[in-house]
């Protein structure tokens, strides 16, 4: 049977510290920014922000993290949360300007000067210009997704904590980069048309299916740390665990992609029906 977990299993750590810091900046920024009355009804963005942070905590600072060491399908669910759930929720919430104003004015000025004109930040600016393009961001997202699931890399994450932390960090970072090419989240705006966004998301969904098919069709366990376990919660075999992981990637992992594609298609068709502005002027999740 599955192990019993308690609130003490929510142990705290870097993920909790990051979430608390982001939440504090968001709260402080909201106090410092004058919000127009017309925007005060947009509480759903705050709800999306809270949901995004909660997703990070569930993935990294809850009993899910402990079970991920014993069950491959739970580990896959953890990856889905970091790649495909938390990043689009945060992109939808558009918290960046508000969080920026959570810093003191003097700190903002120094950071802005360093980021925009600092000599040491020049490589960062160059990388940001490259990664803002849809092709580099698509390649990086899918490279990270597939690369970490290669047996040697995946096994390393299960035996070396710092490698595991790097995996989670790159999943979340590339996920956020990917979804801000699909969802306009100022100051980041996508260069893609509505059709381009649909292709961008759909092709990445196919990439995740390839991974799911490989896991599902394998005749033996791929990842040795899971295969070597004497027993697993629920009493399932290593191969069944791997097939459940494939199902999680195929079914659950496809849901965020599908929602994004349907949203893009809806916004592409809506102006045609209503005779409003062209599709290119109505990016996904843009304010009415």
């Amino acid at each position: 049977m599955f192990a019993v977990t308690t609130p003490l299993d929510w142990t705290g750590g870097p993920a909790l510290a990051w979430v608390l810091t982001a939440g504090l900046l968001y709260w402080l920024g909201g106090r410092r920014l004058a919000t127009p009355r017309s925007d005060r009804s947009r509480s759903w963005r705050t709800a999306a922000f809270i949901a995004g942070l909660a997703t990070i905590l569930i993935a990294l600072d809850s009993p899910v993290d402990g079970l991920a060491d014993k069950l491959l399908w739970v580990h896959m669910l953890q990856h889905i949360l970091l790649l495909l759930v938390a990043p689009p929720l945060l992109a939808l919430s558009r918290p960046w300007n508000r969080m920026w104003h959570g810093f003191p004015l003097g700190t903002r000025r120094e950071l802005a000067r360093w980021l925009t004109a600092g000599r040491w930040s020049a490589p960062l600016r160059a990388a940001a210009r490259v990664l803002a393009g849809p092709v580099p961001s698509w390649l990086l997202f899918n490279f990270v997704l597939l690369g970490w699931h290669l047996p040697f890399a995946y096994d390393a994450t299960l035996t070396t904590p710092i490698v595991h932390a790097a995996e989670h960090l790159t999943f979340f970072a590339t996920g956020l980069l990917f979804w801000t090419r699909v969802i306009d989240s100022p100051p980041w705006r996508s260069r893609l048309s509505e059709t381009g966004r649909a292709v961008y998301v759909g092709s990445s969904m196919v990439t995740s299916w390839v991974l799911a098919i490989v896991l599902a069709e394998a005749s033996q366990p791929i990842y040795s740390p899971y295969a070597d376990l004497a027993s697993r919660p629920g009493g399932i075999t290593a191969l069944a665990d791997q097939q459940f992981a494939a199902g999680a990637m195929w079914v659950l992992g496809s849901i965020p992609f599908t929602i994004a594609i349907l949203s893009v298609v809806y916004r592409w068709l809506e102006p045609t029906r209503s005779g409003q502005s062209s599709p290119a002027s109505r990016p996904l999740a843009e304010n009415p």
Side-chain angles (χ1 to χ4, degrees):
M1 297 297 292
F2 287 95
V4 176
T5 58
T6 71
L8 294 178
D9 294 309
W10 297 65
T11 55
L16 178 60
W18 188 93
V19 165
L20 291 177
T21 300
L24 177 62
L25 290 174
Y26 189 83
W27 177 73
L28 290 173
R31 290 171 59 89
R32 291 170 180 164
L33 280 174
T35 304
R37 183 176 298 274
S38 60
D39 285 345
R40 290 177 181 170
S41 62
R42 302 190 183 282
S43 57
W44 68 270
R45 294 202 186 277
T46 297
F49 179 74
I50 294 171
L53 295 186
T55 300
I56 295 172
L57 286 182
I58 291 170
L60 299 179
D61 192 39
S62 81
V64 168
D65 192 43
L67 282 173
D69 293 334
K70 304 170 185 176
L71 290 167
L72 176 58
W73 75 263
V74 177
H75 203 168
M76 187 65 74
L77 177 63
Q78 190 180 45
H79 294 175
I80 291 169
L81 293 175
L82 292 174
L83 276 165
L84 306 176
V85 180
L89 284 171
L90 293 177
L92 279 169
S93 69
R94 301 181 174 186
W96 321 114
N97 184 53
R98 179 166 170 169
M99 290 174 64
W100 174 250
H101 281 82
F103 290 103
L105 179 59
T107 302
R108 294 203 306 272
R109 286 175 174 169
E110 289 298 322
L111 281 174
R113 187 179 300 112
W114 181 80
L115 288 171
T116 58
R119 184 179 65 178
W120 296 106
S121 63
L124 182 63
R125 294 194 298 273
R129 286 192 295 269
V130 171
L131 294 176
V135 173
S137 62
W138 186 94
L139 290 173
L140 185 60
F141 175 83
N142 287 281
F143 175 82
V144 166
L145 170 63
L146 295 179
W148 279 117
H149 287 90
L150 293 173
F152 78 91
Y154 207 99
D155 292 352
T157 67
L158 297 170
T159 57
T160 309
I162 193 170
V163 176
H164 204 180
E167 176 199 42
H168 290 162
L169 177 61
T170 54
F171 275 156
F172 177 72
T174 57
L176 195 58
L177 176 67
F178 176 88
W179 287 103
T180 51
R181 304 310 94 196
V182 181
I183 303 167
D184 283 337
S185 189
W188 296 292
R189 292 190 179 275
S190 176
R191 303 174 187 174
L192 292 167
S193 65
E194 300 293 357
T195 303
R197 295 179 204 221
V199 173
Y200 183 86
V201 174
S203 56
S204 295
M205 181 166 65
V206 172
T207 301
S208 71
W209 289 351
V210 171
L211 174 60
I213 291 171
V214 170
L215 293 175
E217 294 296 323
S219 58
Q220 59 185 10
I222 295 176
Y223 305 118
S224 57
Y226 288 110
D228 294 341
L229 289 174
S231 62
R232 275 157 289 278
I236 62 175
T237 66
L239 191 58
D241 184 22
Q242 185 168 284
Q243 291 167 344
F244 286 148
M249 176 56 74
W250 191 302
V251 179
L252 298 180
S254 295
I255 292 174
F257 288 127
T258 303
I259 292 173
I261 292 171
L262 292 176
S263 298
V264 168
V265 171
Y266 174 79
R267 297 190 71 87
W268 180 67
L269 293 175
E270 184 184 27
T272 303
R273 294 198 307 269
S274 61
Q276 297 175 0
S277 59
S278 65
S281 65
R282 296 288 302 279
L284 182 64
E286 186 179 26
N287 281 331

